[in-house]
Amino acid sequence: MDKTDFLLSLDYELFFGKNPGSVEHCMIKPTQELVKVLDKFNAKVSLFVDVGFLVKLKEYAPRYPELATQYQQIQTQLLTLSQQGHDIQLHIHPHWFDSRYDQHGWKIDTTRYRLHDFSQQEIAMIVKSYKEELQLFSHKEVFAFRAGGWCIQPFDKIKQALQENSIWLDSTVFNAGHSDDPSRYFNFQKMPHEAHWFFSGDPLQEDNKGFFTELPISSFKTSPLFFWKLAFRKKFASQQFKPFGDGQAMIAHGNYYIERLTKTTHGPVMIDGAKAGQLQSAFKQHLKANNKHSVFNVMGHPKSLSLFSLKKLQQFLENNKNLNFITFQDLKELKNNRI
Ligand SMILES: [Zn+2]
């Protein structure tokens, strides 16, 4: 029987609300718990690391020993994972550039949330310095990218900086996804229906001569009922559903909630929290809608994992013996396979 490529791509980061949470509970511990499950199946994780945070830790480390310790803990964890065959890739939340630390903790400033909110010169500097920094956390090459908050459009503005730093693979878009929030805008409603494709100026526009490759995140159609159940479950949250992460998320635009409670919406397939309960049906949808070469690319965040999501992931891996576990490192031949 044909195997389906399975890629687990998690955004490794703190929260961006008033209280960003701790490195221990948002990053180190949940990643350890996840890897314990993956090890049973010899499966690997690809981590999109929020490098802006690492750059800030390094900047403040000489003045704040607690931040020097956090930097060390993260570096030890990521280098160990890289050694074990897990993958480390580039995730950019550029608001760290404007955020500050003092004895009271982090002052997160998300006024400039998207990379696009910065000047061309700043974008070039951010991408170059972030990639160089991240390379210190991996034994392998960093070449894949996921935009913070899925804000990758218009791609034109960030294209040159990525290309100059040999970032040639993107994994940000998911079928039919969109956000109308002006500060966090994205729209993936006209996406090519292929396992992956090449592009040059726009990730939604296929170009076989393009420098970039898009590997979309798998997408799942969710009915409003799921979000209603979720809303009730949050009210009676049990330990099982409590996320490992101890920070606060940014508050979403009001429409975000209204839309999800009233219409069928498309979202990325995730192992975060209760969404992990949809893994099996999302996989079924994926096999039906895609050709057999397409990668089942499931995203998530260590900070949003819970005991429930790990249990569901384990069940999923036990029930599907026809999965071929890959990381972005296994996709390197795509770069040269031009038609
Ligand atoms: Zn992120």
Side-chain angles (χ1 to χ4, degrees):
M1 195 184 164
D2 267 349
K3 289 199 165 193
T4 304
D5 286 337
F6 175 66
L7 195 149
L8 189 58
S9 53
L10 303 199
D11 303 350
Y12 181 85
E13 62 191 25
L14 290 184
F15 289 92
F16 311 126
K18 221 172 160 212
N19 166 22
S22 66
V23 164
E24 191 188 355
H25 292 286
C26 296
M27 296 156 87
I28 305 287
K29 282 218 167 129
T31 306
Q32 276 169 354
E33 293 304 312
L34 170 75
V35 169
K36 272 190 213 161
V37 174
L38 296 178
D39 276 348
K40 295 178 192 168
F41 304 90
N42 198 25
K44 306 295 174 194
V45 65
S46 298
L47 294 176
F48 277 114
V49 175
D50 177 12
V51 193
F53 177 55
L54 305 182
V55 168
K56 278 284 152 170
L57 286 180
K58 199 178 204 175
E59 180 189 325
Y60 284 106
R63 277 172 286 161
Y64 297 94
E66 69 274 23
L67 298 191
T69 307
Q70 290 171 24
Y71 182 92
Q72 272 311 322
Q73 286 173 324
I74 294 170
Q75 194 169 37
T76 303
Q77 178 168 55
L78 296 185
L79 283 175
T80 307
L81 290 174
S82 170
Q83 192 85 55
Q84 295 167 347
H86 302 281
D87 199 14
I88 308 300
Q89 297 293 352
L90 180 66
H91 189 43
I92 298 185
H93 280 287
H95 70 268
W96 284 110
F97 190 83
D98 295 330
S99 299
R100 301 282 171 263
Y101 188 81
D102 62 23
Q103 67 274 23
H104 307 294
W106 288 106
K107 287 203 174 43
I108 307 285
D109 181 351
T110 53
T111 316
R112 296 199 284 180
Y113 179 75
R114 309 153 73 230
L115 203 41
H116 304 72
D117 299 328
F118 292 77
S119 74
Q120 215 70 58
Q121 211 179 357
E122 285 169 326
I123 293 172
M125 191 270 289
I126 287 172
V127 174
K128 184 171 189 290
S129 58
Y130 284 17
K131 166 150 180 193
E132 279 171 8
E133 181 63 32
L134 188 59
Q135 209 58 76
L136 306 174
F137 290 71
S138 175
H139 296 291
K140 302 220 176 80
E141 202 186 325
V142 170
F143 58 84
F145 173 70
R146 176 170 295 155
W150 300 286
C151 297
I152 196 168
Q153 296 158 311
F155 187 71
D156 273 359
K157 196 165 177 191
I158 62 172
K159 172 187 162 161
Q160 196 189 345
L162 294 174
Q163 189 160 351
E164 278 171 1
N165 291 285
S166 308
I167 304 292
W168 57 268
L169 191 147
D170 176 67
S171 188
T172 300
V173 313
F174 56 96
N175 185 36
H178 75 279
S179 153
D180 298 330
D181 183 339
S183 61
R184 305 178 68 170
Y185 164 87
F186 61 86
N187 188 331
F188 309 139
Q189 278 166 336
K190 284 197 183 115
M191 189 183 103
H193 286 280
E194 283 172 73
H196 51 77
W197 58 86
F198 303 118
F199 69 96
S200 49
D202 175 356
L204 304 184
Q205 205 74 52
E206 192 171 356
D207 173 3
N208 280 330
K209 292 200 176 66
F211 172 81
F212 299 97
T213 299
E214 180 63 40
L215 184 87
I217 304 165
S218 297
S219 158
F220 182 58
K221 223 167 37 182
T222 307
S223 79
L225 188 65
F226 173 77
F227 291 100
W228 280 107
K229 278 193 200 154
L230 204 63
F232 282 110
R233 209 175 257 169
K234 273 209 174 124
K235 260 188 135 161
F236 307 104
S238 72
Q239 202 57 31
Q240 247 213 113
F241 290 103
K242 196 175 171 288
F244 291 117
D246 53 357
Q248 286 169 325
M250 271 172 80
I251 296 165
H253 201 239
N255 275 348
Y256 175 90
Y257 304 105
I258 296 162
E259 203 183 341
R260 272 152 189 80
L261 292 173
T262 54
K263 292 199 274 202
T264 295
T265 48
H266 290 262
V269 180
M270 288 214 192
I271 60 161
D272 286 353
K275 287 186 180 145
Q278 299 174 309
L279 264 181
Q280 194 62 49
S281 33
F283 187 47
K284 238 171 99 183
Q285 249 187 42
H286 171 85
L287 292 176
K288 241 191 192 167
N290 296 279
N291 73 41
K292 62 179 186 192
H293 302 296
S294 65
V295 178
F296 189 47
N297 181 5
V298 176
M299 71 162 293
H301 306 78
K303 66 185 180 187
S304 308
L305 297 177
S306 60
L307 291 173
F308 174 80
S309 51
L310 292 180
K311 191 174 91 184
K312 285 293 162 182
L313 174 67
Q314 171 148 347
Q315 278 174 4
F316 177 75
L317 297 177
E318 276 163 1
N319 293 338
N320 297 280
K321 300 291 181 210
N322 57 340
L323 299 173
N324 180 37
F325 303 118
I326 61 165
T327 70
F328 288 105
Q329 297 295 333
D330 297 303
L331 297 170
K332 271 171 125 173
E333 75 264 27
L334 285 180
K335 188 170 170 45
N336 305 314
N337 283 352
R338 291 291 192 278
I339 298 154

